[in-house]
Amino acid sequence: MNGVTDHNAHELSKQLLKVAENELHENQCTREQSLQQLRNWLAKNMDILNMRCDDGFLLRFLRAKKFNVPLAQQSMLKYLNIKRTFPHLTTQLDLLDAKLNDIISSGYIFATPKRDKNGRRVVIVNAKGFNAKLYGSSEQAKVHFLTYEFLMEDPLTQMVGVTHIGNFSGVTTHHITNWKPIEFARVFKWGEQSLPMRHKEIHLINLPSGLKWLVEFAKTRVSLKIRKRLTVHSNAEELCKAIDPECLPQELGGRMSTEEMLNLWKCELLEKRETILKLDEITLLTDCGIQCKKSGKLKNVAHFLKHYECLEGSFRKLEID
């Protein structure tokens, strides 16, 4: 299953040609040359073991960096480094693991079966689907990384990107305090920089007034590009004006039930289970090949982490309206 209906497949193929050429600088010539350059670099790189070198895997990095090969190399190293640094969050992403299966079955995070008008998968995150009293931050992170790894395997998603919808209905103080602030800050920042994904739209709904300040703070810590793509909606009717209801579950104004969507989603994940588990075999021995950011940037990150440490007490006392 690929999440695209036959009805719009032809239109998407024409659209893809435009996206590939205009947005990604992708054509047959640049694709072949860039893949060869990336493979030549990997053949000489002794820091990476058991690397996947199929076109589909390498193209996720090239497309994310618009076929700038040096940037794609850095993207690959950062992707492998986040898995190396946070293995408890990013590896053993097994749908059949009892805990992960329970979280996914509860409707916490899934991609809806119908793509939006731009051909993008729509990822729904429901706060109430995650039992923060029963599961910790590692399980929460794993279901996110499992979702993203699956989506990054899809060539169409690599080209057109992803639409995210965060539904805060049912959020509790336990959700906020589930993470150690210092770790959340690092994973949040590294995740944006390290995963070769095109985050095209981010929509938030049912946001409690007690959390609006946190979203505003988070917006100052992500790239300007991501900030401009984030929209907060007051209700489902407002959300449906921005997103085709056909792409939404019933509780957000859509046509299909969450249960139906989840059954289809789990079938998709199961098809790619072995592929995703096999990613754990890739090993980055050292991060010495990753280019350091300028001192000013590092200083900002240090301030960010320090500020999150100061917020820990506030998180513990936070009450959700």
Side-chain angles (χ1 to χ4, degrees):
M1 178 176 183
N2 60 11
V4 184
T5 62
D6 292 337
H7 177 70
N8 62 1
H10 180 62
E11 288 301 315
L12 283 176
S13 65
K14 292 193 298 184
Q15 185 181 17
L16 275 178
L17 292 175
K18 294 180 181 179
V19 170
E21 188 72 42
N22 298 334
E23 293 188 22
L24 307 180
H25 314 300
E26 178 178 355
N27 54 49
Q28 184 174 349
C29 181
T30 58
R31 186 166 52 246
E32 291 177 355
Q33 290 183 355
S34 299
L35 282 169
Q36 189 58 53
Q37 290 177 43
L38 201 51
R39 287 194 175 100
N40 291 341
W41 173 75
L42 285 168
K44 299 174 183 176
N45 194 316
M46 298 294 103
D47 293 333
I48 304 175
L49 304 179
N50 304 317
M51 188 59 182
R52 260 182 67 181
C53 289
D54 57 280
D55 287 3
F57 185 74
L58 299 183
L59 282 169
R60 67 165 69 176
F61 302 99
L62 290 167
R63 285 171 173 148
K65 296 303 178 182
K66 300 183 178 181
F67 285 83
N68 181 315
V69 176
L71 290 182
Q73 293 169 352
Q74 285 298 305
S75 176
M76 183 179 292
L77 291 174
K78 290 177 181 178
Y79 162 81
L80 296 175
N81 195 44
I82 196 173
K83 293 171 73 68
R84 171 178 173 266
T85 307
F86 303 103
H88 61 297
L89 308 179
T90 61
T91 62
Q92 298 180 12
L93 307 178
D94 190 356
L95 170 66
L96 299 184
D97 175 89
K99 294 180 180 180
L100 303 191
N101 191 282
D102 184 45
I103 295 169
I104 292 171
S105 299
S106 298
Y108 172 60
I109 182 170
F110 60 94
T112 63
K114 189 178 188 303
R115 296 179 185 268
D116 67 13
K117 63 183 179 181
N118 297 301
R120 301 174 192 143
R121 295 302 297 268
V122 179
V123 177
I124 309 288
V125 177
N126 289 310
K128 67 180 180 182
F130 182 77
N131 188 337
K133 293 182 179 179
L134 186 60
Y135 300 116
S137 57
S138 59
E139 291 89 5
Q140 187 175 18
K142 280 188 173 186
V143 292
H144 277 270
F145 278 102
L146 172 57
T147 302
Y148 303 148
E149 287 288 7
F150 174 86
L151 294 172
M152 287 188 292
E153 287 288 331
D154 178 35
L156 178 53
T157 298
Q158 292 172 7
M159 293 181 186
V160 299
V162 177
T163 293
H164 302 271
I165 298 176
N167 181 8
F168 284 81
S169 177
V171 71
T172 67
T173 306
H174 292 287
H175 289 93
I176 308 303
T177 57
N178 204 26
W179 284 80
K180 294 180 179 179
I182 191 73
E183 184 172 53
F184 176 79
R186 293 180 70 196
V187 175
F188 187 79
K189 190 74 175 178
W190 285 30
E192 182 195 348
Q193 295 177 349
S194 305
L195 295 184
M197 294 182 68
R198 306 186 72 207
H199 306 284
K200 302 299 289 186
E201 295 181 43
I202 303 170
H203 301 268
L204 306 182
I205 187 172
N206 297 322
L207 185 66
S209 58
L211 279 185
K212 288 180 180 178
W213 67 272
L214 182 58
V215 172
E216 289 303 313
F217 174 74
K219 284 167 65 175
T220 67
R221 303 303 172 180
V222 296
S223 65
L224 178 62
K225 177 176 65 176
I226 295 296
R227 212 179 311 157
K228 288 181 177 180
R229 295 175 181 177
L230 191 152
T231 306
V232 178
H233 300 279
S234 302
N235 49 54
E237 183 179 348
E238 193 176 297
L239 176 65
C240 287
K241 292 179 181 179
I243 302 293
D244 181 357
E246 293 289 338
C247 303
L248 300 173
Q250 288 176 347
E251 63 190 78
L252 294 179
R255 310 284 188 261
M256 188 181 291
S257 70
T258 296
E259 183 180 1
E260 289 178 279
M261 289 186 169
L262 283 173
N263 288 336
L264 293 172
W265 174 239
K266 289 171 72 173
C267 287
E268 289 191 78
L269 289 178
L270 195 58
E271 288 181 3
K272 292 287 185 180
R273 177 176 175 263
E274 293 300 328
T275 300
I276 293 172
L277 289 175
K278 202 169 179 61
L279 291 171
D280 291 351
E281 297 177 7
I282 306 174
T283 304
L284 180 69
L285 298 178
T286 173
D287 62 359
C288 65
I290 299 176
Q291 296 177 359
C292 296
K293 290 185 176 293
K294 295 179 180 178
S295 57
K297 291 286 186 180
L298 289 174
K299 189 181 297 184
N300 290 338
V301 173
H303 175 73
F304 170 48
L305 298 179
K306 182 179 180 181
H307 194 58
Y308 252 94
E309 286 179 306
C310 295
L311 284 173
E312 183 166 12
S314 300
F315 280 177
R316 298 297 171 188
K317 298 175 183 178
L318 182 64
E319 293 183 2
I320 306 299
D321 295 338

